Amino acid sequence: EVQLVESGGGLVQPGGSLRLSCADSGFTVRSSHMSWVRQAPGKGLEWVSVIYSNGDRYYAESAKGRFTISRDNANSLVYLQMNSLRVEDTALYYCTRYVRAADGTGAFDMWGQGTMITVS
Amino acid sequence: DIQMTQSPSSVSASVGDRVTITCRASQGMNSWVAWYQQRPGKAPELLIYATSTLQSGVPSRFSGGGSGTDFTLTISSLQPEDFATYYCQQANSFPLTFGGGTKVEI
């Protein structure tokens, strides 16, 4: 069964840093576009960042300059380095696979169970 | 940025009801809208992509439609397992954005 498993969440003080990791089992991360989506407690979904299979990266405005997405193709891992964390970054962070067709159609077709970040 | 406005924010319905959720984009788009279902305490699941294409394994009672700025998700006959929160999402341009969600409850 294909799975995405996140790790690295926890409690951090404002201004602190954390690195989230996402590991796959069953498919090859290196050939996929991978993304992070977050959900604050009791709130909706917010896209954070995506890294394409060719290495191109895009960020939400809230993440620009503070978060960095990267990938380790050899070990099928995706990371989200989060610096200068703010109280408003408190959320459940989901690792997702982002599928994108030639016509630009895009959707998150696989989701992990999420890792919780609390900034307080 | 493209804002996605979902309505209603919540809807009360019964098993067997037909439910339609609307998502309005702040600017015209190609058919690049996806819909997700999130049950309490669970990760979201993809239901529909490219506005109307059903994800593999999703029951046919779910359907999507629309174009331009207005898109819909319809559940033709609500089942007990469909009581959940639904989100639309646009992939027309970055930043990728989601609607605020629609909670379908009894």
Side-chain angles (χ1 to χ4, degrees):
Chain A
E1 182 185 353
V2 178
Q3 275 191 317
L4 293 172
V5 180
E6 305 94 336
S7 60
L11 175 64
V12 63
Q13 292 183 339
S17 298
L18 277 178
R19 188 177 79 160
L20 307 184
S21 301
C22 173
D24 79 272
S25 63
F27 74 99
T28 306
V29 165
R30 69 173 68 95
S31 62
S32 301
H33 310 316
M34 300 299 296
S35 186
W36 292 92
V37 174
R38 69 184 183 183
Q39 187 169 35
K43 303 297 184 182
L45 302 172
E46 180 187 13
W47 172 73
V48 176
S49 182
V50 65
I51 184 166
Y52 283 169
S53 57
N54 66 1
D56 288 349
R57 315 171 199 203
Y58 299 88
Y59 297 92
E61 195 62 37
S62 59
K64 283 180 184 175
R66 301 188 301 129
F67 296 179
T68 302
I69 192 170
S70 61
R71 61 198 303 153
D72 176 355
N73 288 337
N75 294 295
S76 289
L77 291 166
V78 180
Y79 301 105
L80 186 68
Q81 177 66 44
M82 308 166 65
N83 299 329
S84 302
L85 283 162
R86 305 166 179 164
V87 170
E88 54 265 36
D89 294 319
T90 295
L92 186 64
Y93 284 72
Y94 292 104
C95 176
T96 70
R97 185 173 71 175
Y98 182 62
V99 290
R100 189 167 181 271
D103 64 358
T105 303
F108 306 101
D109 74 330
M110 292 185 58
W111 297 67
Q113 287 307 302
T115 186
M116 186 68 198
I117 308 298
T118 302
V119 185
S120 176
Chain B
D1 298 4
I2 297 177
Q3 309 302 320
M4 303 296 283
T5 303
Q6 264 184 257
S7 61
S9 57
S10 66
V11 57
S12 294
S14 302
V15 173
D17 284 354
R18 180 183 182 90
V19 172
T20 297
I21 299 167
T22 297
C23 199
R24 174 162 289 177
S26 59
Q27 59 185 265
M29 307 192 306
N30 295 302
S31 298
W32 295 338
V33 169
W35 291 92
Y36 302 85
Q37 176 193 67
Q38 186 177 33
R39 297 188 177 105
K42 300 295 186 182
E45 295 181 0
L46 177 63
L47 295 175
I48 288 171
Y49 62 95
T51 297
S52 59
T53 304
L54 220 56
Q55 174 71 343
S56 176
V58 174
S60 59
R61 62 181 179 273
F62 291 92
S63 64
S67 63
T69 60
D70 295 321
F71 300 87
T72 59
L73 171 70
T74 298
I75 310 171
S76 60
S77 178
L78 208 59
Q79 298 302 299
E81 60 269 28
D82 300 337
F83 291 94
T85 300
Y86 295 84
Y87 296 92
C88 61
Q89 171 247 323
Q90 65 83 18
N92 189 80
S93 62
F94 286 108
L96 307 179
T97 48
F98 291 89
T102 296
K103 186 174 184 180
V104 178
E105 52 195 352
I106 300 173

